Amino acid sequence: MAVSALRSALAAIENAGAVDASHVPPSNSGPIAGAVAGLGASEVERRPVDVHAAVAAEVEQRRVAAREYADLGRPDHAERLRAEAEVLTSYLRS
């Protein structure tokens, strides 16, 4: 359960730093579709990420989903999500 929560949080952090597609360099029309020419020409700096905010958002999403599962009569799923939220919350405190 903890591993699942941590993997999900890491993915959320990575996604938060993803580059907007409008900032990707234009491709050249060459032998490889979508390729750009020149050393490092396709490199784009990732956006800065507020890790605390990204993890806090993951915690909130789990708490909301847990309430929804509980309302739908699925206490097993709700408890798993609450436990994952607690794992992530412990990392926010440290």
Side-chain angles (χ1 to χ4, degrees):
M1 180 176 343
V3 172
S4 173
L6 293 173
R7 282 184 180 162
S8 178
L10 287 172
I13 292 166
E14 284 296 314
N15 289 340
V19 178
D20 182 10
S22 66
H23 293 91
V24 176
S27 63
N28 299 339
S29 57
I32 300 173
V36 294
L39 180 63
S42 64
E43 297 296 318
V44 178
E45 187 174 334
R46 292 182 66 83
R47 295 185 300 193
V49 176
D50 181 348
V51 174
H52 189 274
V55 175
E58 286 292 302
V59 168
E60 183 58 25
Q61 287 176 359
R62 279 170 175 71
R63 288 181 177 156
V64 168
R67 285 192 294 272
E68 290 173 358
Y69 274 118
D71 290 344
L72 293 171
R74 297 300 309 256
D76 50 332
H77 290 296
E79 185 54 38
R80 180 181 56 81
L81 288 168
R82 282 189 209 100
E84 287 184 6
E86 206 43 51
V87 167
L88 296 177
T89 300
S90 70
Y91 283 93
L92 290 176
R93 291 185 201 127
S94 58

